[in-house]
Amino acid sequence: FLKIRDGMSIGSSLYDEEGAKIVPEILAKAAKLGVEIILPVDFVVSTKFGEDGEIKQATVKTGVPDGFMGLDCGTASNELNRKAVMESKTIIWNGPMGVFEMKSFEAGTKTLMDAVVEATTKGVITVIGGGDTGTACKKYDTVDKVSHCSTGGGASLELLEGKILPGVAALDDAKEKPQGLRGFLKKLIGA
């Protein structure tokens, strides 16, 4: 997003050129609907995808230097994310903030997880979308501290988009269903 919106240098970070083509459309739609998109303002970067590289901080202003890759959000970004969570009524989280499997790059994910758990204790509906975020939930022992932790990952997002998933369709078609999975999820997130 930052490379497209601001022309920010991303060094040797992963970049999905095809996926990036829809960024302007997403930003325009969000602006039209009055939806705030929170993007990182600082980063933890490294020369290697591992903890044995040179690790330092970068900002949107400096960009990610050549030869470095962004592997986590920085502390200012973590605070922005925490503030957004604490101001929300429903959280649907799909995708970790950084490479949480490595200690040097887990702060963004751990900080967000702590905020999501805290928000849950205050009555906020919190849904972990599965995949790597579900794995983070297990790592931090928070599966039972959020409203729902899916194992579906991308399938969770497709369901929320309104796509018909074969397994969900089969459940919806079952004779003995009080409300179906779709009804349950709608009730869970208040849609």
Side-chain angles (χ1 to χ4, degrees):
F1 275 75
L2 294 168
K3 177 179 173 72
I4 298 298
R5 186 189 74 180
D6 302 336
M8 188 188 94
S9 169
I10 62 168
S12 56
S13 302
L14 291 177
Y15 179 68
D16 176 7
E17 192 168 336
E18 187 62 29
K21 291 177 181 176
I22 65 169
V23 168
E25 178 185 336
I26 291 169
L27 292 171
K29 187 171 185 177
K32 179 180 175 184
L33 296 173
V35 173
E36 179 185 16
I37 294 182
I38 300 166
L39 297 173
V41 295
D42 60 341
F43 319 91
V44 179
V45 301
S46 178
T47 55
K48 292 185 180 179
F49 188 78
E51 299 188 83
D52 58 338
E54 180 187 347
I55 300 171
K56 64 182 185 177
Q57 304 291 313
T59 65
V60 169
K61 186 176 179 179
T62 65
V64 176
D66 289 341
F68 283 78
M69 59 187 87
L71 297 177
D72 198 9
C73 294
T75 55
S77 298
N78 293 338
E79 187 52 40
L80 286 174
N81 292 333
R82 176 180 164 58
K83 182 177 182 293
V85 165
M86 300 315 292
E87 294 173 353
S88 297
K89 296 178 184 171
T90 303
I91 304 293
I92 299 172
W93 178 16
N94 197 64
M97 300 292 98
V99 186
F100 69 93
E101 298 90 343
M102 297 180 207
K103 187 78 172 159
S104 297
F105 313 113
E106 75 170 337
T109 301
K110 178 69 168 95
T111 300
L112 188 58
M113 185 68 73
D114 291 344
V116 168
V117 168
E118 182 181 343
T120 306
T121 66
K122 296 179 179 182
V124 173
I125 299 295
T126 55
V127 178
I128 304 295
D132 287 339
T133 319
T135 300
C137 217
K138 290 175 188 166
K139 176 181 179 176
Y140 301 124
D141 194 28
T142 57
V143 172
D144 61 346
K145 297 176 180 154
V146 297
S147 304
H148 177 71
C149 181
S150 171
T151 57
S156 299
L157 293 177
E158 289 183 4
L159 181 66
L160 291 171
E161 285 178 43
K163 293 181 179 177
I164 304 293
L165 305 178
V168 174
L171 290 172
D172 279 347
D173 292 340
K175 288 184 178 184
E176 300 287 328
K177 60 171 185 161
Q179 61 185 354
L181 181 59
R182 208 177 286 266
F184 167 76
L185 287 173
K186 285 183 178 179
K187 182 178 179 184
L188 179 69
I189 63 173

